[in-house]
Amino acid sequence: MGLDDKIGNKGQDLGGKLKEGLGKATGDKDTEAEGHKDQASSSLKDAGENVKDAFKRD
């Protein structure tokens, strides 16, 4: 996994956490859900990159 990918995924995860928190604080369920979606997307990207890395090592 490249450093750029790791940074991008972490940024997306943190942004999702911020959106989720903002949504909870303001009672905006749409923003809260969007934050959850961003975090899930980041996790899936990380998992995909980890699979790629596993095959590169063999």
Side-chain angles (χ1 to χ4, degrees):
M1 180 196 260
L3 183 59
D4 290 341
D5 293 331
K6 285 182 182 181
I7 292 170
N9 291 343
K10 184 54 84 173
Q12 184 177 16
D13 183 57
L14 291 174
K17 288 179 182 181
L18 287 172
K19 281 183 189 177
E20 179 186 358
L22 180 64
K24 283 182 181 179
T26 61
D28 185 349
K29 296 293 182 186
D30 289 336
T31 302
E32 186 177 346
E34 190 175 325
H36 279 288
K37 184 182 93 172
D38 289 349
Q39 290 175 63
S41 177
S42 173
S43 294
L44 286 173
K45 288 178 185 178
D46 279 340
E49 291 295 330
N50 288 338
V51 168
K52 286 185 204 176
D53 287 346
F55 282 104
K56 285 181 184 177
R57 291 185 191 132
D58 289 339

